[in-house]
Amino acid sequence: MDWGTLQAVLGGVNKHSTSIGKIWLTVLFIFRIMILVVAAERVWGDEQQDFVCNTLQPGCKNVCYDHFFPISHIRLWALQLIFVSTPALLVAMHVAYRRHEKKRRFRNGEKINIEELKNEKIHIRGPLWWTYTCSIFFRIIFEAVFMYVFYYMYDGYQMPRLVKCDAWPCPNTVDCFVSRPTEKTMFTIFMLAVSGICMMLNLAELCYLVIKIFLKRSRKTTVLK
Amino acid sequence: MNWAGLYAVLSGVNRHSTAIGRIWLSVIFIFRIMVLVVAAESVWGDEKSAFTCNTQQPGCNSVCYDHFFPISHIRLWALQLILVTTPALLVAMHVAYQQHQEKKLLVMTGHGDAKHLEEVKKHKMRIAGSLWWTYVCSVVFRLLFEAVFMYLFYMIYPGYQMVRLVKCEAYPCPNTVDCFVSRPTEKTIFTVFMLVTSSVCIVLNMAELVYLVVRACARRGHHNSNPSSAKGSFYGHKLSSEYKQNEINQLLTEQDGSLKDMLRRNPSLQEKGDRCSAC
């Protein structure tokens, strides 16, 4: 079970998304998951090994590393991506439930073509509209929460070059040097920017859905008149 | 055979699960197996190489690591996930057996053409009768395994928190030696995360158990008030327009020489023999 399987699972959801939703999914997979796997993981690969402290005291390096990096950027991004992509499964479950209802009606006598049912695109209306809107809302919330967690944990988005550590068993204050700080800062800013773009896409999709429903409602009231 | 293989095997079971069962399966695969593979494994990756002891004594490092970490969290979680997902295979086997029986019956009644046999494979089995018991057993086993592993974790690593420092005095370490664990905070965060998802899975399993029991009792109540309602089997529904109901019952009794057979012949015994199995 890895990113490939997640892509397979979410690829199915793609069929029932809006166009903005499809763009969002593409950005997620290509500019975030793929970059994480092919590039970012290598940059952070030697984060603990090459974290060097100016002391011979055994254990000081471990303690200082743990103090300044409670959870690695890579793991935070992995969790962020998992949480941000899962609300789409709510939509997939709702679509599957609707199809199941249609199949049940077919079994009770109504004539529906089963093959067509499988390939049919379900329109985002009624309770599905609410499920879809909730999923987008959750996506936005998760993105914002993780961006805040990053900011809070690492005091901004820049990777420091040097940290001064005085946790036991380090003697007095010890200088510790982070491995590849500039490259890490670049990738942090890149992932932040793409995260911002994804949030904008989600907000745009939310506005699109709300405007569409209002237009539909106003068209209905004018037709009724 | 890796996690992807397990996913392929269990996706088939998904079709015959309840809605709660499907949610449980999604939680297992996305929030536990996937997090284990993409995140947790790299946190514990250097657990031994970065385990540092304040001594130059050869062998002390290995002995202390082995003493304080008899089995790594990652391996325990992998075992837990495998044992927790395997009871679902009991259900898969039972469904396969029932489908085999249905195919045999179709061939016997002269409907053994490819189209009907394909339909047997595709239709969703109702969780009723003996399948209900198998399904309930599998949920009970899942709950048991989850609880056992959570207890095991607590016993081996008290408090679910990863210690920063361990004081070791096993031979060959001289006197007492300070040993420092690598990434204790990150490990604690992931331990708590996996614990929370494990609890969520336990709650889902309990909810599913309650749902199954309530549904079976409701079905039994409905059945008592309306004993002539059709049985839930696929061929009963499909062929009832072509055969009379008693002919289907005869075919059923030939296949199943159990209490069901006796009850059908003697409806007066139904009240005495009725169980909460919605059969």
Side-chain angles (χ1 to χ4, degrees):
Chain A
M1 188 72 195
D2 56 0
W3 296 115
T5 327
L6 187 73
Q7 184 175 16
V9 168
L10 289 175
V13 179
N14 211 9
K15 244 196 298 176
H16 312 287
S17 305
T18 59
S19 329
I20 305 178
K22 289 176 186 162
I23 296 173
W24 170 83
L25 210 68
T26 311
V27 168
L28 187 82
F29 277 112
I30 298 182
F31 291 100
R32 294 174 79 177
I33 296 181
M34 195 168 158
I35 295 283
L36 184 79
V37 170
V38 310
E41 274 181 1
R42 304 254 169 90
V43 176
W44 269 266
D46 58 3
E47 52 179 335
Q48 215 199 188
Q49 255 166 280
D50 282 356
F51 181 77
V52 172
C53 289
N54 187 3
T55 179
L56 287 176
Q57 170 63 47
C60 177
K61 184 177 112 158
N62 282 14
V63 163
C64 291
Y65 179 81
D66 183 63
H67 184 258
F68 286 96
F69 302 103
I71 177 167
S72 168
H73 288 62
I74 295 284
R75 258 74 67 183
L76 264 179
W77 282 325
L79 284 174
Q80 180 181 13
L81 290 167
I82 290 172
F83 275 94
V84 152
S85 25
T86 354
L89 294 178
L90 284 174
V91 177
M93 284 193 257
H94 194 140
V95 165
Y97 170 74
R98 261 212 197 161
R99 283 222 181 103
H100 175 76
E101 289 294 299
K102 276 198 177 160
K103 274 190 189 157
R104 228 208 287 173
R105 276 192 272 142
F106 167 72
R107 240 190 264 145
N108 291 342
E110 274 182 51
K111 288 197 169 57
I112 297 173
N113 186 349
I114 283 200
E115 274 312 307
E116 247 180 59
L117 190 71
K118 267 193 194 160
N119 299 333
E120 175 193 6
K121 179 184 158 153
I122 306 234
H123 290 288
I124 303 172
R125 278 196 284 261
L128 184 60
W129 183 92
W130 285 103
T131 308
Y132 199 88
T133 316
C134 276
S135 78
I136 298 180
F137 188 68
F138 277 119
R139 277 185 223 161
I140 297 175
I141 298 254
F142 286 140
E143 291 272 21
V145 163
F146 274 94
M147 278 167 84
Y148 175 71
V149 164
F150 256 107
Y151 186 82
Y152 179 75
M153 241 185 229
Y154 296 107
D155 283 327
Y157 296 107
Q158 195 177 14
M159 181 63 77
R161 210 168 271 232
L162 156 78
V163 291
K164 288 190 183 284
C165 175
D166 56 6
W168 185 89
C170 303
N172 310 305
T173 305
V174 157
D175 290 336
C176 294
F177 301 89
V178 177
S179 132
R180 313 181 205 244
T182 313
E183 202 168 1
K184 286 178 180 171
T185 307
M186 282 184 196
F187 273 96
T188 307
I189 293 178
F190 178 87
M191 294 295 266
L192 179 74
V194 181
S195 192
I197 292 173
C198 284
M199 254 175 96
M200 304 288 286
L201 284 169
N202 285 328
L203 284 167
E205 198 176 3
L206 206 57
C207 293
Y208 168 74
L209 285 168
V210 169
I211 291 172
K212 199 167 88 160
I213 216 83
F214 274 124
L215 283 174
K216 226 177 254 177
R217 220 172 265 176
S218 65
R219 220 178 285 150
K220 243 189 226 171
T221 45
T222 45
V223 163
L224 282 170
K225 280 180 191 163
Chain B
M1 187 71 192
N2 51 12
W3 294 115
L6 186 72
Y7 178 70
V9 167
L10 290 173
S11 298
V13 179
N14 213 8
R15 215 152 27 113
H16 309 286
S17 304
T18 59
I20 305 178
R22 289 187 192 145
I23 296 172
W24 170 84
L25 210 69
S26 305
V27 170
I28 284 260
F29 276 111
I30 296 179
F31 291 100
R32 294 175 77 178
I33 296 182
M34 195 166 162
V35 168
L36 184 81
V37 170
V38 310
E41 273 183 359
S42 45
V43 177
W44 269 265
D46 60 359
E47 52 179 334
K48 182 141 195 272
S49 54
F51 182 77
T52 322
C53 290
N54 187 3
T55 179
Q56 286 184 328
Q57 169 66 46
C60 179
N61 216 329
S62 300
V63 162
C64 292
Y65 177 80
D66 184 63
H67 183 257
F68 286 96
F69 302 102
I71 175 166
S72 169
H73 287 61
I74 294 285
R75 259 70 70 184
L76 267 178
W77 282 325
L79 283 173
Q80 180 180 13
L81 289 166
I82 290 171
L83 284 172
V84 153
T85 43
T86 2
L89 294 177
L90 283 174
V91 177
M93 285 192 260
H94 194 136
V95 164
Y97 170 74
Q98 274 191 345
Q99 281 175 341
H100 176 74
Q101 297 289 97
E102 279 181 14
K103 278 185 183 165
K104 250 206 295 183
L105 201 67
L106 280 175
V107 168
M108 265 173 53
T109 57
H111 283 76
D113 54 308
K115 187 179 143 210
H116 280 112
L117 291 177
E118 266 309 297
E119 272 186 52
V120 166
K121 250 196 215 168
K122 284 190 188 155
H123 95 281
K124 179 189 154 153
M125 288 276 171
R126 268 181 71 190
I127 302 173
S130 47
L131 183 60
W132 185 91
W133 284 102
T134 308
Y135 199 91
V136 165
C137 277
S138 78
V139 175
V140 166
F141 274 119
R142 276 185 223 162
L143 270 169
L144 219 72
F145 287 138
E146 291 271 21
V148 163
F149 272 93
M150 277 173 84
Y151 177 69
L152 220 69
F153 255 106
Y154 190 79
M155 287 291 290
I156 301 178
Y157 300 109
Y160 300 116
Q161 195 180 13
M162 181 60 78
V163 290
R164 204 171 272 237
L165 158 78
V166 290
K167 289 187 183 286
C168 175
E169 47 193 37
Y171 173 82
C173 303
N175 309 305
T176 306
V177 157
D178 291 333
C179 293
F180 299 88
V181 176
S182 134
R183 311 180 206 250
T185 312
E186 202 165 0
K187 286 178 179 172
T188 305
I189 292 175
F190 275 95
T191 306
V192 169
F193 181 88
M194 295 296 266
L195 179 73
V196 166
T197 47
S198 191
S199 315
V200 166
C201 287
I202 287 180
V203 167
L204 284 170
N205 282 329
M206 288 206 262
E208 196 175 7
L209 208 57
V210 167
Y211 168 73
L212 285 167
V213 169
V214 165
R215 197 171 80 167
C217 288
R219 219 184 269 166
R220 173 190 177 188
H222 175 75
H223 200 66
N224 277 343
S225 56
N226 185 11
S228 64
S229 61
K231 300 290 177 201
S233 84
F234 170 73
Y235 50 78
H237 174 82
K238 191 83 174 120
L239 303 176
S240 58
S241 54
E242 297 158 41
Y243 286 87
K244 288 179 188 168
Q245 189 62 42
N246 53 6
E247 203 164 324
I248 296 170
N249 287 343
Q250 200 177 355
L251 288 165
L252 284 170
T253 53
E254 278 164 25
Q255 283 299 304
D256 185 359
S258 66
L259 184 65
K260 274 194 277 187
D261 147 12
M262 207 169 73
L263 290 173
R264 243 175 250 115
R265 290 202 178 117
N266 296 299
S268 59
L269 286 175
Q270 197 155 13
E271 284 113 328
K272 283 186 201 166
D274 221 338
R275 295 181 301 160
C276 192
S277 62
C279 49

